Amino acid sequence: MKIIVCIKQVPDTTEVKINKETNTLIREGVASVINPFDLYAIEEGLRLREAHGGTVTVLSMGPMQVIDSLREALSMGADEAVLLSDRAFAGADTLATAYTLSKGIEKIGSYDLIICGKQAIDGDTAQVGPELAEMLEIPHVTYVRRIHEIAGGQITVERMTEEGSEKIRFPLPGLITVVKEINEPRLPSIKGKMRAKKAEIPVWSAGDLGTDPEKTGLKGSPTWVTKVFTPEQKGGGEIFEGEVGEQVAKLVRMLRETKIV
Amino acid sequence: MSIRVIEDKCIGCRLCVKVCPLGAITVVDKKARIDLDKCDLCGACVTACEKFQAIEIIREKEAAGDLDSYQGVWVFAEQKEGMVAGVTLELLGEGRKLADQLGTTLSTVLLGSGMDQAAQELIAHGADRVYLADSPQLADFLEDPYAEVLTELCREHKPAILLMGATTIGRSLAPKLAARLRTGLTADCTGLAIDGETKNLLQTRPAFGGNLMATIICPNHRPQMATVRPRVFPPAKRDENRTGEVVRLDYSARQLLQRAELLEVLKEAGTTINLAEANIIVAGGRGLCDQKNFALIQELADLLGGAVGASRAVVDAGWIPYAHQVGQTGKTVCPKIYIACGIHGAVQHLVGMQSSELIIAINKNPEAPIFKVADYGIVGDVLEVIPALIKEIKKARGEA
Ligand SMILES: Cc1cc2nc3c(=O)[nH]c(=O)nc-3n(C[C@H](O)[C@H](O)[C@H](O)COP(=O)(O)OP(=O)(O)OC[C@H]3O[C@@H](n4cnc5c(N)ncnc54)[C@H](O)[C@@H]3O)c2cc1C
Ligand SMILES: Nc1ncnc2c1ncn2[C@@H]1O[C@H](COP(=O)(O)O)[C@@H](O)[C@H]1O
């Protein structure tokens, strides 16, 4: 099986702090990490390779520093990594990102399964996976929490829904996006780290991919951000005083006012 | 397309440095300098520099297609087992306002099997027209056939705006459709408005985990597509006397593309896990000390008719399934009331629930960050407070 895992580098939220005066994120000096959902995607790729044979290729689009995240994926056990990096790709929205990734995947060549994370934690859009599948004209299923079976050129997966889940079968090649429940990502091994350090990671530019300049980066992005602002922060609320009995009585009185109780 | 600092106007005040979410701006010799490798042209600095107008994003004028031929506001009507989703009624309310403002019509697209009654309901809730694709092939949602029907309809009738719920279905179907129509899509919006001048749809959504809000437009492509977070807008009022047109589309004789097959629908038994649609969520964290105490959360939720949420710590400990996890790697929720019991309030949890209308926190540590976002707080032991609360609620209702 030939598996491609798409990963994005994002700022590490455990380190993100809020500037109390301006109510904005302080991201200066904040480390970058692999998008948490993408770790599950990598792990699932590795498990499928262990069960069915084949290779796992990790793919990312972003600035040169993303090489570090790709090395981390290699140290977890991925076979190959590719970075798509070019000034022309900057400022891409999900459509332009999906287009660029699709050109990268075409250049990689054949594949059976593409795995993406459920969403990236910086933009939270969850759109790149389905858009990418559509551009490659392959079927996709989102929010996969379990792969039941791969057999006869078909994959059977379980999609998480609001009420429970759905079991869906579809033909390969295809794309899935995965949620946290699907597995427990492994840590990089020492051997993996050594291998990753030495690995050659090709960096493909717009020229290498033959991307249409009208479809990449800011230019290829139909959506524009026109304004960014901080939401009104709630001031600290009211803490009920007194004994437990008094506290809950106050709370219930308040709930009654809102007609909940 | 690029961004630049107009050096004559820049006074090196650092306002832009403070707002840049990517840490891409530094001030050198009293002039802002933008690191283009870090910048993703989000425009936060342009907004911050309103006073000096020293930063501009340069966009080449794009040959906008024939945008005027796109008219009307559309809402995709989501249904499961014939029941129209709550978010659809919310979108009808909001869509009605947008349509009235634009002086245009509000249409819905309804796909399913045996949906006549549902179509009338959509009209009663504000739709002027319902495109109804009724066929056994379309009874259950699957990406391929649904996208095919919607693509054809959009190409033929050219809506200016297309809204869907930010649900499991909407967030899978919308991007597939957007890619096919090669148009923009804004995810999980919490605010919609029309720009008075340009008539563009202003789509506002939380970004960077809800710590920033971004307003997004799609000026040169149509339809302008957005998925909208459930429970943000009130549902449209029902008016039995409203009239509208049902346009029937016949797909019964046609083979629609269908690569995937739905084998089984599994419903989680007992507990309500539809956190996105819940009015009240009672959520428990590690402060409950033991899995068996988690039953208290369920009891309180049942009493209030709410759903059960959880922090990642207790999901990881195996006290409750992942479907209940709220936060960055779980679900984003915005119920009317969120009751956090023994939850510390780590930033990854807060991003998933801080937009709830009313937040109540119960925690024994007065310094816990959950109190910073809470409207009401009780500092105390959850194992004492929750049973007391349950008793008090029953008393108030005259049940005990
Ligand atoms: C990449 C990443 C993603 C993450 N995603 C999520 C996510 O989606 N959702 C999420 O929730 N977390 C997430 N986390 C984890 C998050 O950082 C916290 O570890 C987690 O939310 C803590 O859960 P908790 O508050 O239940 O537990 P704790 O941090 O252990 O807090 C327990 C709280 O209960 C209080 N307490 C203890 N005993 C009692 C008592 N008897 N009565 C009253 N109060 C008591 C304590 O004072 C404390 O405040 C993520 C972390 C990372 C790194
Ligand atoms: N720049 C990127 N490079 C590679 N994969 C990406 C990129 N952006 C998004 N993805 C993939 O798409 C998923 C969803 O991202 P998003 O749509 O941004 O929320 C991520 O979990 C990744 O698997």
Side-chain angles (χ1 to χ4, degrees), chain B residues 21-311:
Chain B
L22 298 169
I25 312 181
T26 45
V27 170
V28 183
D29 295 336
K30 293 209 170 142
K31 300 288 170 208
R33 189 176 287 175
I34 302 174
D35 179 348
L36 291 179
D37 281 329
K38 288 188 185 160
C39 170
D40 74 356
L41 299 147
C42 77
C45 53
V46 181
T47 312
C49 194
E50 225 159 9
K51 188 165 162 204
F52 303 104
Q53 308 260 338
I55 305 178
E56 65 171 354
I57 290 185
I58 309 148
R59 303 179 192 272
E60 286 117 60
K61 264 251 171 313
E62 223 175 298
D66 182 16
L67 298 185
D68 287 342
S69 64
Y70 289 81
Q71 295 290 334
V73 178
W74 282 23
V75 168
F76 167 72
E78 176 173 332
Q79 60 83 19
K80 275 183 188 158
E81 296 175 340
M83 289 285 292
V84 172
V87 69
T88 301
L89 303 183
E90 293 155 24
L91 288 179
L92 283 175
E94 205 54 22
R96 187 70 260 167
K97 279 191 226 155
L98 298 175
D100 291 346
Q101 225 173 314
L102 289 168
T104 178
T105 53
L106 175 65
S107 304
T108 58
V109 185
L110 177 60
L111 282 62
S113 180
M115 301 303 298
D116 288 330
Q117 187 56 42
Q120 291 308 321
E121 279 305 306
L122 295 175
I123 291 171
H125 283 92
D128 298 314
R129 186 180 304 113
V130 181
Y131 292 103
L132 174 60
D134 206 298
S135 157
Q137 292 182 77
L138 299 169
D140 295 310
F141 168 73
L142 277 173
E143 281 80 359
D144 283 336
Y146 270 53
E148 203 173 319
V149 171
L150 275 157
T151 308
E152 280 180 16
L153 281 171
C154 287
R155 291 211 171 121
E156 187 179 342
H157 300 288
K158 303 189 171 205
I161 294 173
L162 172 56
L163 308 175
M164 297 194 190
T167 58
T168 305
I169 289 178
R171 292 188 84 169
S172 183
L173 177 61
K176 185 176 170 73
L177 189 63
R180 202 176 281 187
L181 299 172
R182 292 232 162 244
T183 189
L185 171 61
T186 309
D188 207 20
C189 297
T190 55
L192 296 172
I194 301 288
D195 184 325
E197 222 171 281
T198 60
K199 304 291 178 222
N200 281 326
L201 179 65
L202 303 172
Q203 310 162 90
T204 300
R205 69 179 302 260
F208 295 103
N211 289 301
L212 284 181
M213 301 297 288
T215 300
I216 290 162
I217 55 171
C218 175
N220 296 324
H221 294 75
R222 293 290 180 272
Q224 307 164 82
M225 289 182 63
T227 58
V228 179
R229 189 180 285 188
R231 306 210 46 78
V232 172
F233 299 112
K237 292 228 159 48
R238 187 172 187 280
D239 175 1
E240 209 154 330
N241 299 322
R242 268 192 58 89
T243 53
E245 173 193 11
V246 178
V247 181
R248 274 167 212 285
L249 309 158
D250 189 11
Y251 284 96
S252 54
R254 242 189 74 181
Q255 205 49 48
L256 291 164
L257 176 68
Q258 190 142 349
R259 292 174 291 196
E261 194 184 342
L262 181 62
L263 302 175
E264 203 181 341
V265 178
L266 306 145
K267 290 215 178 115
E268 206 110 320
T271 46
T272 352
I273 56 160
N274 192 346
L275 294 173
E277 297 257 340
N279 260 320
I280 301 178
I281 293 174
V282 183
R286 201 146 50 185
L288 284 148
C289 304
D290 192 293
Q291 176 164 21
K292 68 177 199 300
N293 298 331
F294 213 82
L296 284 171
I297 301 292
Q298 184 73 54
E299 191 181 343
L300 181 58
D302 287 345
L303 191 64
L304 296 170
V308 172
S311 71

Side-chain angles (χ1 to χ4, degrees), chain A residues 34-105:
Chain A
I34 297 177
N35 176 36
F37 286 104
D38 301 349
L39 292 174
Y40 303 100
I42 297 169
E43 176 65 31
E44 202 55 24
L46 298 176
R47 289 186 188 193
L48 289 175
R49 182 190 65 193
E50 281 153 13
H52 300 274
T55 57
V56 174
T57 304
V58 281
L59 173 67
S60 189
M61 179 194 88
M64 284 307 290
Q65 66 178 51
V66 175
I67 289 267
D68 298 340
S69 290
L70 290 170
R71 279 198 205 286
E72 193 183 330
L74 289 175
S75 67
M76 284 172 73
D79 300 276
E80 283 161 30
V82 177
L83 176 62
L84 313 179
S85 195
D86 198 304
R87 272 303 303 162
F89 301 158
D93 72 356
T94 61
L95 195 74
T97 302
Y99 168 73
T100 308
L101 291 174
S102 77
K103 296 299 278 185
I105 288 169

Side-chain angles (χ1 to χ4, degrees), chain A residues 6-8 35 38 59-61 116-117 119-120 125-128:
Chain A
C6 296
I7 69 169
K8 184 176 186 183
N35 176 36
D38 301 349
L59 173 67
S60 189
M61 179 194 88
C116 290
Q119 64 195 48
T125 80
Q127 289 175 181
V128 169

Side-chain angles (χ1 to χ4, degrees), chain B residues 286 311-312 325-329 344 348-349 363 381-382:
Chain B
R286 201 146 50 185
S311 71
R312 167 167 165 178
Q325 183 179 318
V326 171
Q328 187 181 82
T329 33
H344 192 62
Q348 296 89 358
H349 188 81
N363 193 305
D381 189 332
V382 280

Side-chain angles (χ1 to χ4, degrees), chain A residues 233-234, chain B residues 209-211 333 349-356 359 373:
Chain A
Q233 293 279 325
K234 288 188 179 177
Chain B
N211 289 301
V333 299
H349 188 81
L350 298 184
V351 299
M353 45 65 74
Q354 63 191 2
S355 53
S356 304
I359 297 169
V373 300

Side-chain angles (χ1 to χ4, degrees), chain A:
Chain A
M1 254 187 98
K2 213 162 175 276
I3 299 159
I4 298 174
V5 180
C6 296
I7 69 169
K8 184 176 186 183
Q9 193 183 61
V10 296
D12 184 355
T13 46
T14 49
E15 289 186 25
V16 169
K17 297 206 171 49
I18 310 272
N19 179 331
K20 293 247 157 52
E21 278 164 43
T22 56
N23 269 332
T24 51
L25 301 195
I26 305 173
R27 303 227 305 201
E28 282 168 295
V30 170
S32 294
V33 294
I34 297 177
N35 176 36
F37 286 104
D38 301 349
L39 292 174
Y40 303 100
I42 297 169
E43 176 65 31
E44 202 55 24
L46 298 176
R47 289 186 188 193
L48 289 175
R49 182 190 65 193
E50 281 153 13
H52 300 274
T55 57
V56 174
T57 304
V58 281
L59 173 67
S60 189
M61 179 194 88
M64 284 307 290
Q65 66 178 51
V66 175
I67 289 267
D68 298 340
S69 290
L70 290 170
R71 279 198 205 286
E72 193 183 330
L74 289 175
S75 67
M76 284 172 73
D79 300 276
E80 283 161 30
V82 177
L83 176 62
L84 313 179
S85 195
D86 198 304
R87 272 303 303 162
F89 301 158
D93 72 356
T94 61
L95 195 74
T97 302
Y99 168 73
T100 308
L101 291 174
S102 77
K103 296 299 278 185
I105 288 169
E106 277 169 22
K107 190 169 159 73
I108 290 173
S110 69
Y111 58 89
D112 299 294
L113 182 65
I114 299 171
I115 312 179
C116 290
K118 171 193 156 197
Q119 64 195 48
I121 58 164
D122 51 355
D124 284 335
T125 80
Q127 289 175 181
V128 169
E131 288 184 333
L132 173 59
E134 181 56 33
M135 288 179 187
L136 295 168
E137 297 185 13
I138 57 173
H140 80 262
V141 172
T142 49
Y143 303 154
V144 169
R145 68 174 189 189
R146 195 169 155 203
I147 295 179
H148 280 277
E149 191 185 40
I150 296 181
Q154 305 227 72
I155 183 169
T156 308
V157 299
E158 203 171 301
R159 169 190 357 229
M160 206 170 128
T161 65
E162 282 85 355
E163 295 83 15
S165 63
E166 293 170 348
K167 208 166 157 181
I168 300 171
R169 183 166 60 206
F170 64 99
L172 297 175
L175 180 147
I176 57 173
T177 75
V178 298
V179 297
K180 175 193 150 199
E181 198 181 2
I182 195 162
N183 59 42
E184 190 64 53
R186 69 194 65 187
L187 293 171
S189 65
I190 304 277
K191 220 173 98 199
K193 279 188 184 160
M194 308 250 291
R195 200 178 61 84
K197 219 190 226 162
K198 284 185 257 150
E200 288 262 339
I201 298 182
V203 180
W204 293 342
S205 66
D208 296 328
L209 295 179
T211 43
D212 177 349
E214 299 292 321
K215 291 183 179 171
T216 58
L218 195 64
K219 194 149 193 212
S221 299
T223 58
W224 298 1
V225 178
T226 56
K227 194 169 129 196
V228 176
F229 56 101
T230 26
E232 268 174 49
Q233 293 279 325
K234 288 188 179 177
E238 181 186 345
I239 304 279
F240 294 124
E241 307 281 339
E243 291 300 304
V244 172
E246 286 172 51
Q247 289 177 327
V248 297
K250 277 185 204 153
L251 182 58
V252 171
R253 219 173 301 137
M254 190 282 305
L255 287 174
R256 287 184 79 152
E257 278 161 26
T258 58
K259 299 210 167 58
I260 297 291
V261 173

